[in-house]
């Protein structure tokens, strides 16, 4: 089975309590998928979430997963050093 198109949309506040579900979501994304991250509604992001995103973005190429920042909220993409695409 080829990969899927997955959109991850953040709400206003993304705290450490969202870390487990975010990790599970990333683990379930099959190889050769395309992931779009929409952070336009994000006002706050916990450091744990930022680290989880960074880990995913850095490891995505090993599974041929492309990551695109669809919309950037409050400089979120700038916090992630492993970003792969510019925010629109």
């Amino acid at each position: 089975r080829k990969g899927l198109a997955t959109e991850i949309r953040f709400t206003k506040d993304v705290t450490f309590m969202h870390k487990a579900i975010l990790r599970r979501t990333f683990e379930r994304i099959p190889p050769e998928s395309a992931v779009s991250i929409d952070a336009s509604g994000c006002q706050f992001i916990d450091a744990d979430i930022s680290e989880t995103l960074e880990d995913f973005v850095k490891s995505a190429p090993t599974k041929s997963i492309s990551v695109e920042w669809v919309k950037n909220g409050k400089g979120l993409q700038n916090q992630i050093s492993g970003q792969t695409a510019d925010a629109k």
Side-chain angles (χ1 to χ4, degrees):
R1 178 175 110 171
K2 288 255 180 174
L4 304 170
T6 302
E7 180 181 15
I8 297 172
R9 185 176 300 152
F10 291 111
T11 58
K12 182 180 174 200
D13 296 324
V14 188
T15 67
F16 70 94
M17 295 182 347
H18 298 100
K19 184 176 180 177
I21 195 163
L22 185 60
R23 283 192 179 272
R24 264 195 313 274
T25 299
F26 289 152
E27 290 169 1
R28 292 177 178 163
I29 296 172
E32 299 180 18
S33 292
V35 176
S36 298
I37 299 173
D38 181 347
S40 60
C42 186
Q43 296 296 313
F44 169 80
I45 184 165
D46 191 84
D48 282 351
I49 300 299
S50 185
E51 180 181 311
T52 299
L53 283 166
E54 184 171 354
D55 291 347
F56 174 71
V57 170
K58 285 181 177 177
S59 68
T62 64
K63 292 173 65 178
S64 299
I65 296 173
S66 64
V67 180
E68 177 186 14
W69 293 91
V70 178
K71 294 180 184 172
N72 191 6
K74 295 289 182 183
L76 173 60
Q77 182 183 5
N78 297 332
Q79 295 176 25
I80 310 301
S81 61
Q83 66 218 28
T84 59
D86 292 330
K88 294 180 180 177

